[in-house]
Amino acid sequence: KDLGIGQTLSWGALASLARDLAGGLAQAGLRRGQHLVVIGENRPRLYAAMLAAQSLGAIPVPLYQDAVAAEFVFPINNAEIAFAIVEDQEQVDKMLEARPQVPSLRHICFDDPRGLRNYEGVMSLEALAAEGRTFDAAHPGWYDAEVAKGATNDISVMLYTSGTTGRPKGAVSTHRAIVQALMGFGCKTSIDSLRRPDEAAGRTGPPVFILIVPLFHVTGNVPVFLGSLASGLKLVIMHKWDPGKALELIEREKVTNFIGVPTQSWDLLEHPDFEKYDTSTLTSVGGGGAPAPPQLVSRVGSSFKAAKPGIGYGMTETNAYGPGNGGTDYETHPTSTGRATPILQLEIRDAEGRAVATGERGEIWMKGPNLIRGYWNKPEATAETIVDGWLRTGDLGRLDDEGFLYIEDRAKDMILRGGENVYSAEVEAAIYEHPAVYEAAVFGLPHERLGEEVAAAIVPREGQTIDPDELRSFLADHIAPFKIPTQVFLHEQALPRNPAGKILKRQLRDELAPDT
């Protein structure tokens, strides 16, 4: 049965499918502790395949579907992956192209109702599920026995980090850590409801989430998909991001919670048909993955009938859980990512790892039961990132006396201009205040005298133009002179982003100033 676009199914039906696929995978030889790669856009059967692997004690490894074949070689070899679940013919072809370089890969299964040509070691998920049902009938009771073997401290999933340089790192997370993250999200929701009961007034019925981020991304996997599954909530799955389609689904399915990267909120608000759709059911619009400019926070608060803006400071290493800000707290503290909740410890430390005073800037460290175990086959990287149970985020920030966290910048993105620290997130926030700016990215370029100078790549709003000198004059009323970009690059197309939605600043540097 096709479980493609436009269909609905219950969580029970998804669990039944996962059981069938687990039987097929078990019969094919997938065992506890082995890895299974999953590649494709958001489809129910691909999520069922991940659940099937986890129920066997195996470890799903979702990867970016638009990568070329060569990019799959490292992660598959790194984890010695034998099984691949992919979306369609295009992904099958990539696996077959990579196969000579990935000797561990033996089985390829695809989710495509049209069917594919016959290849050795390639079969459809339909056929795999059918074999699982036969296996189930011949071995009654096998499934529950397999589930009982699982342990909370076993690895549940491995997500490769979206680093912009060097080899990706496979972040391994346990079942316990994921459950703790889900409990943390629930804890925060309960606390917010008690602190701000007026914002919950008038809401009727359970929440309805929309899944707009890809399955290889921790936000899609943990808080949205698994959070909805654990709570039995309705989940609207978008095959891939399309702001017009999202508006249609929000109206038709009465979506209440919209979680993505800030650019997706921008896309929604900027869509020419935004006013044509009923978005009154939305109660929360936000997400994480990158700082949201204060102007976006203000627009979300004023453009929706009931929705309040929200942002979370989580990452792959925290299972997407971390400090969060929403509702009136976010409107009154638009540059803050919020406060920690009881299961999470948060500190700001200096370069020597010592805690700094309230209000002082330093590196953000976090500790909690939701952290990953480490990076697969990378003990040095694990030891560098996780120190005495604390996660070094690599982000710079500060805490105020109310406990609100302010992320100033990525440590590696900080611009050192003539001995002065310039934090690109602060400059970007000021640039976004300009009415003609649609997108902006600030980064440093080498400078003979200053060491680095401040540069900005900017995409104007459709139908508008930006004069660099006029922009600098505008910024003079918002930030100190040394923070104002001396080089402004106007970009006609959208700024380049990695699969997680983060702007690729290194790529921008190479494209816009190749000789520096």
Side-chain angles (χ1 to χ4, degrees):
K1 182 180 179 182
D2 179 21
L3 297 177
I5 296 173
Q7 283 211 320
T8 61
L9 70 158
S10 67
W11 289 112
L14 188 72
S16 178
L17 174 60
R19 177 179 178 132
D20 291 342
L21 292 175
L25 290 168
Q27 189 175 29
L30 184 66
R31 295 292 181 263
R32 180 178 177 183
Q34 292 183 324
H35 294 80
L36 175 144
V37 68
V38 182
I39 305 170
E41 302 276 5
N42 291 334
R43 292 199 182 196
R45 273 199 291 236
L46 296 184
Y47 277 99
M50 292 181 62
L51 293 174
Q54 290 169 319
S55 72
L56 296 173
I59 306 163
V61 184
L63 297 177
Y64 177 43
Q65 72 280 352
D66 289 335
V68 299
E71 292 178 284
F72 293 130
V73 172
F74 171 75
I76 291 176
N77 284 335
N78 183 44
E80 298 181 342
I81 293 173
F83 293 79
I85 305 291
V86 302
E87 182 176 3
D88 52 22
Q89 176 74 60
E90 179 183 358
Q91 304 300 341
V92 169
D93 290 342
K94 290 179 183 178
M95 290 296 99
L96 293 174
E97 182 182 342
R99 210 174 205 176
Q101 302 176 68
V102 287
S104 64
L105 186 63
R106 302 192 307 274
H107 304 277
I108 302 172
C109 300
F110 61 88
D111 175 24
D112 193 328
R114 299 168 300 175
L116 301 176
R117 298 188 300 274
N118 291 325
Y119 299 103
E120 182 181 354
V122 180
M123 67 187 304
S124 70
L125 282 182
E126 281 291 339
L128 185 70
E131 289 193 3
R133 287 189 288 272
T134 302
F135 181 76
D136 191 39
H139 301 81
W142 77 272
Y143 188 76
D144 292 337
E146 285 298 316
V147 172
K149 291 180 183 178
T152 58
N153 288 317
D154 278 1
I155 298 173
S156 175
V157 68
M158 182 160 78
L159 298 174
Y160 277 91
T161 57
S162 56
T164 56
T165 61
R167 292 286 194 185
K169 300 189 294 290
V172 294
S173 192
T174 64
H175 295 283
R176 181 188 297 275
I178 290 175
V179 170
Q180 289 287 344
L182 294 175
M183 295 291 285
F185 283 114
C187 174
K188 183 183 184 307
T189 299
S190 298
I191 291 173
D192 288 345
S193 296
L194 292 171
R195 289 185 58 245
R196 302 191 299 265
D198 55 309
E199 292 180 12
R203 299 180 190 175
T204 59
V208 177
F209 284 79
I210 184 168
L211 179 59
I212 61 173
V213 289
L215 67 85
F216 69 87
H217 193 282
V218 68
T219 300
N221 257 288
V222 179
V224 181
F225 176 73
L226 290 178
S228 297
L229 184 154
S231 304
L233 299 175
K234 178 179 176 180
L235 176 63
V236 181
I237 299 177
M238 289 198 72
H239 184 58
K240 57 183 177 181
W241 172 242
D242 180 322
K245 184 65 175 178
L247 286 167
E248 177 186 332
L249 289 170
I250 290 167
E251 178 180 274
R252 189 179 77 201
E253 303 296 337
K254 302 187 185 308
V255 172
T256 63
N257 292 72
F258 181 95
I259 298 175
V261 295
T263 52
Q264 290 172 313
S265 298
W266 273 114
D267 291 345
L268 212 62
L269 291 166
E270 290 291 319
H271 195 276
D273 294 333
F274 176 77
E275 297 293 342
K276 297 179 183 178
Y277 288 95
D278 180 6
T279 59
S280 62
T281 57
L282 284 171
T283 60
S284 176
V285 173
Q295 186 190 26
L296 175 59
V297 180
S298 176
R299 285 192 64 188
V300 169
S302 61
S303 300
F304 295 94
K305 181 178 179 180
K308 292 290 186 179
I311 195 169
Y313 175 50
M315 54 192 69
T316 303
E317 288 81 356
T318 68
N319 280 297
Y321 182 70
N325 201 1
T328 53
D329 279 348
Y330 199 13
E331 291 176 311
T332 56
H333 301 75
T335 58
S336 171
T337 192
R339 294 185 276 198
T341 55
I343 74 163
L344 184 71
Q345 296 181 62
L346 184 65
E347 285 189 1
I348 307 298
R349 300 188 181 184
D350 61 20
E352 284 71 42
R354 298 170 300 200
V356 302
T358 299
E360 290 188 15
R361 182 183 290 120
E363 184 179 1
I364 302 166
W365 292 50
M366 290 192 286
K367 184 178 183 180
N370 56 299
L371 299 185
I372 63 168
R373 176 181 292 177
Y375 300 113
W376 184 260
N377 285 340
K378 287 187 177 293
E380 296 85 2
T382 299
E384 181 181 347
T385 303
I386 301 177
V387 181
D388 296 329
W390 285 84
L391 175 75
R392 298 188 61 174
T393 67
D395 291 329
L396 301 175
R398 59 183 172 83
L399 286 166
D400 68 13
D401 54 9
E402 295 180 278
F404 281 91
L405 174 67
Y406 297 82
I407 302 174
E408 305 286 357
D409 215 335
R410 288 291 297 174
K412 62 184 178 183
D413 284 343
M414 184 187 72
I415 304 162
L416 186 60
R417 180 192 179 278
E420 296 282 0
N421 293 339
V422 178
Y423 300 93
S424 61
E426 178 188 3
V427 181
E428 287 164 359
I431 292 174
Y432 273 113
E433 293 294 325
H434 193 287
V437 171
Y438 180 71
E439 275 190 317
V442 172
F443 49 90
L445 291 177
H447 189 276
E448 183 177 359
R449 184 175 65 86
L450 298 171
E452 283 186 300
E453 62 178 332
V454 183
I458 295 174
V459 179
R461 291 184 182 276
E462 187 175 354
Q464 299 197 44
T465 59
I466 294 175
D467 176 77
D469 289 333
E470 187 276 329
L471 175 66
R472 294 187 187 95
S473 178
F474 172 86
L475 292 175
D477 293 329
H478 294 75
I479 53 178
F482 72 90
K483 300 177 183 178
I484 296 174
T486 52
Q487 294 205 44
V488 176
F489 301 92
L490 298 180
H491 226 60
E492 293 184 1
Q493 304 298 323
L495 298 181
R497 295 178 180 272
N498 68 12
K502 297 178 182 178
I503 294 175
L504 297 172
K505 294 187 178 182
R506 183 175 296 276
Q507 181 176 323
L508 277 173
R509 291 187 190 101
D510 294 342
E511 291 177 355
L512 300 175
D515 298 327
T516 60

